[in-house]
């Protein structure tokens, strides 16, 4: 089993989008929340965004939620860090984008790794699973109570990617659940995942967007994840049967779907394709 207990400096890399989000801030289920609504204000199809370590105010996440709203979904981005998200300033200072990163010396990479450990270690302890998972599951249950809400999906990035996967597990979600969970999951470059354990218990359709240069999810882990999900699709060996999709994005590092380099043609293309992948997945399974 791979437990994914480490996090590297690429968790703190990326680019902040300078666009202007068009949604609004509200309190939903007791949490501060960014809400983006479709043109008809329908809550029939809802998508909850589980953020990376930079939290609910990162413009990139809010702009993506706006895109989902334009596609017909009500999108929520809750503050699941209780006001304790890391500063986006780390995106520019800890690690550059891939072309520059590949030019770094061993000494420079070592220094970046040390800085990440000093920053992330205490934060991850504070926001451990025993604290964060009940908070997230309670928010999902509260969203279920919003008038007009029918199907609910969850999308997660990096740190939030694992919690999206956990939200799709039995007994919270899927057949045999009490309908307080979600109907479909889309996880982009999840970190800290346990392979295969986190995937074995998934009980709803799950799509994954993974970069082939993600230092937090090795090729062996990706192969194992594919094997687990293929067994679940077929219902082999007593596995909980559910649909899945694993898409690998060539040349992309951890965080590409949310914090990629907009000025890079390949990076922008990967972000656009990951956005399309998620929207199409939810249109299929939240209808």
């Amino acid at each position: 089993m791979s437990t994914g207990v480490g996090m590297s400096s690429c968790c703190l890399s990326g680019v902040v989008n300078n666009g202007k989000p068009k949604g609004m801030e509200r309190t939903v289920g007791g949490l501060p929340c960014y809400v983006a609504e479709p043109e008809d204000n329908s809550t029939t199809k809802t998508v909850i965004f589980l953020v990376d370590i930079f939290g609910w105010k990162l413009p990139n996440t809010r702009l993506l939620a706006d895109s989902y709203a334009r596609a017909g979904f009500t999108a929520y981005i809750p503050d699941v860090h209780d006001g304790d998200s890391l500063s986006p300033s780390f995106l520019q200072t800890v690690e550059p984008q891939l072309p520059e990163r590949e030019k770094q010396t061993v000494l420079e990479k070592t220094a970046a790794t040390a800085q990440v450990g000093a920053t992330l270690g205490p934060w991850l302890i504070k926001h451990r699973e025993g604290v964060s998972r009940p908070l997230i599951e309670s928010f999902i249950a509260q969203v279920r109570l919003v008038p007009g809400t029918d199907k609910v999906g969850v999308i997660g990035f990096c740190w939030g990617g694992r919690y999206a996967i956990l939200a799709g597990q039995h007994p919270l979600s899927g057949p045999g659940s009490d309908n307080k969970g979600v109907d479909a999951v889309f996880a982009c470059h999840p970190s800290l995942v346990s392979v295969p354990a986190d995937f074995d218990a998934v009980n709803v359709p799950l799509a994954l967007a993974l970069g082939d240069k993600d230092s937090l999810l090795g090729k062996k882990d990706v192969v194992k994840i594919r094997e687990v999900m293929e067994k679940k699709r077929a219902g082999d060996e007593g596995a909980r049967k559910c649909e899945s999709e694993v898409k690998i994005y060539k040349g992309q590092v951890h965080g590409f779907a949310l914090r990629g380099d907009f000025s890079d043609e390949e990076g922008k293309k990967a972000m656009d394709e990951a956005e399309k992948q998620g929207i199409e997945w939810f249109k299929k399974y939240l209808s």
Side-chain angles (χ1 to χ4, degrees), residues 15-20 59-60 63 262:
V15 176
V16 177
N17 193 319
N18 60 8
K20 186 177 180 180
N60 305 37
L63 290 166
F262 305 95

Side-chain angles (χ1 to χ4, degrees), residues 221-261:
D221 284 333
V222 173
V223 169
K224 185 62 178 178
I225 291 169
R226 282 185 181 276
E227 290 176 351
V228 171
M229 299 315 297
E230 281 299 320
K231 288 181 180 178
K232 294 176 73 62
R233 288 185 67 187
D236 291 345
E237 300 177 16
R240 294 185 179 278
K241 190 171 182 178
C242 63
E243 292 300 316
S244 64
E245 176 180 88
V246 182
K247 186 172 181 179
I248 309 299
Y249 290 80
K250 185 177 180 181
Q252 300 306 306
V253 299
H254 188 75
F256 78 91
L258 191 65
R259 309 190 306 262
D261 187 352

